[in-house]
Amino acid sequence: MAERILGKTLATVSLSVALASVTVQSSGCCSIPACRNTFSSCGFHLSSNIMSSSNGAKGNSHNKARTSPYPGSKVQRSQVPNEKVGWFVEWQDYNPVEYTAVSVLAGPRWADPQISESNFSPKFNEKDGHVERKSQNGLYEIENGRPRNPAGRTGLIGRGLLGRWGPNHAADPIITRWKRDRSGNKVSHPISGKNILQFVAIRRKDCGEWAIPGIYKGYVDDPRNTDNAWMETEAVNYHDETGEIMDNLTLEAGDDAGKVKWVDISDQLQLYASHSHFIKLVAEKRDAHWSEDSETECRGL
């Protein structure tokens, strides 16, 4: 994916994260060549196992997928206590709310039909024509004709705002650079002593939280997830080591993004969904500042 994105001459680079988007526009005829030294991150994929399996949920890996109201609606999920998230836990009284947004039911090109439609026979856990129904996290179970969220119960069935039954895949870059002073020197944090990394962040209109246009590879604890549809994503970190490329670019928010700007990376960021975890991965891979707490820096993930 890195070669395909960076190998083109671009006047506009589009970044998106589901309901929010940002466009990076060049102030001139700027080309971004493949694997240049100044764009040192060619092929740097992020990976981390943060998904709670169906055999149990980690403390912070499946929380936003249980929050109410459901995004863009007044729908309240059935409450799912931590100890009953995993499908292995028997819960005969589990009564999730059914909800699929009108915009999805309208049948746009990016959305599946309803499972009940006679002409719809999806091939789950495999490539289904032009639709990738494989999960980054392995095989998922099918129950009553519907795929089952591998991370556990969410209190809501149907697809919500998501178009596909099962995994909904996204793939986007995380663009970073070093923070520099007016003389062009890297700025280090006064306490940790490490250089400060910046990334392109968008402020989502739906919740006001900062987000990255892209994440890691696999399941994401996202507030749009349901028992039958969930977000999975893959991210590649594109890092401008010298700052020469990004200095010629201006950032412009898309229709669904409230604001876009370069944001300093640290553990003080309040980010959408699981994005803080992924930003921390980027900082650690780049040996950049993350926390003022030296013990936290040493512990890592």
Side-chain angles (χ1 to χ4, degrees):
M1 184 176 71
E3 289 81 3
R4 185 168 68 252
I5 294 176
L6 289 180
K8 296 180 180 179
T9 299
L10 299 177
T12 302
V13 179
S14 295
L15 311 176
S16 64
V17 55
L19 297 180
S21 64
V22 55
T23 301
V24 183
Q25 294 186 327
S26 171
S27 57
C29 294
C30 173
S31 63
I32 303 180
C35 303
R36 274 183 52 178
N37 291 334
T38 53
F39 233 28
S40 62
S41 57
C42 182
F44 169 17
H45 291 254
L46 298 179
S47 62
S48 173
N49 182 20
I50 68 161
M51 188 193 77
S52 59
S53 71
S54 59
N55 294 323
K58 295 182 181 179
N60 63 351
S61 61
H62 194 60
N63 290 327
K64 300 216 172 186
R66 292 181 282 157
T67 55
S68 292
Y70 186 87
S73 76
K74 296 182 180 179
V75 175
Q76 298 288 321
R77 299 175 186 264
S78 297
Q79 292 188 356
V80 180
N82 291 336
E83 65 272 15
K84 292 187 176 181
V85 169
W87 295 110
F88 80 101
V89 178
E90 186 176 352
W91 189 7
Q92 295 182 353
D93 295 331
Y94 180 51
N95 187 29
V97 175
E98 173 106 27
Y99 174 67
T100 299
V102 174
S103 59
V104 176
L105 293 175
R109 294 180 61 185
W110 47 267
D112 289 332
Q114 286 290 77
I115 288 288
S116 58
E117 294 191 18
S118 59
N119 61 345
F120 180 53
S121 301
K123 299 177 181 179
F124 293 120
N125 285 305
E126 60 181 283
K127 186 68 176 291
D128 185 11
H130 69 282
V131 179
E132 180 57 82
R133 300 193 189 277
K134 291 182 181 178
S135 170
Q136 301 278 11
N137 297 98
L139 296 178
Y140 50 88
E141 296 185 10
I142 310 299
E143 186 176 76
N144 298 322
R146 295 185 176 192
R148 198 166 72 171
N149 189 325
R153 298 181 176 98
T154 68
L156 191 145
I157 58 177
R159 285 174 288 164
L161 288 167
L162 301 179
R164 303 295 181 191
W165 294 97
N168 287 254
H169 296 285
D172 298 286
I174 301 174
I175 298 179
T176 58
R177 70 180 184 185
W178 295 112
K179 185 175 185 178
R180 298 178 184 274
D181 59 24
R182 293 183 178 180
S183 300
N185 300 313
K186 294 179 183 178
V187 176
S188 60
H189 192 272
I191 295 179
S192 71
K194 292 189 174 183
N195 294 330
I196 298 175
L197 199 63
Q198 296 181 317
F199 75 106
V200 176
I202 56 176
R203 187 183 294 277
R204 295 175 62 103
K205 283 185 177 179
D206 55 356
C207 63
E209 292 181 310
W210 287 101
I212 58 177
I215 340 178
Y216 78 132
K217 183 178 182 179
Y219 179 88
V220 180
D221 182 21
D222 191 288
R224 294 164 296 175
N225 290 352
T226 75
D227 286 7
N228 310 124
W230 59 92
M231 285 300 304
E232 295 188 8
T233 187
E234 180 177 3
V236 180
N237 174 218
Y238 297 112
H239 177 65
D240 184 6
E241 180 64 27
T242 66
E244 295 175 354
I245 296 177
M246 296 305 174
D247 282 349
N248 296 322
L249 300 176
T250 57
L251 303 177
E252 179 181 307
D255 293 338
D256 295 320
K259 196 182 280 188
V260 57
K261 68 175 184 178
W262 288 98
V263 174
D264 292 354
I265 290 178
S266 79
D267 63 350
Q268 300 302 307
L269 287 172
Q270 298 295 319
L271 295 175
Y272 178 78
S274 304
H275 293 192
S276 60
H277 178 87
F278 312 130
I279 287 296
K280 182 178 181 181
L281 284 177
V282 174
E284 292 182 342
K285 290 287 187 180
R286 296 290 169 195
D287 194 27
H289 167 72
W290 172 252
S291 172
E292 295 183 4
D293 183 355
S294 60
E295 292 185 1
T296 301
E297 293 270 7
C298 294
R299 281 197 303 267
L301 292 174

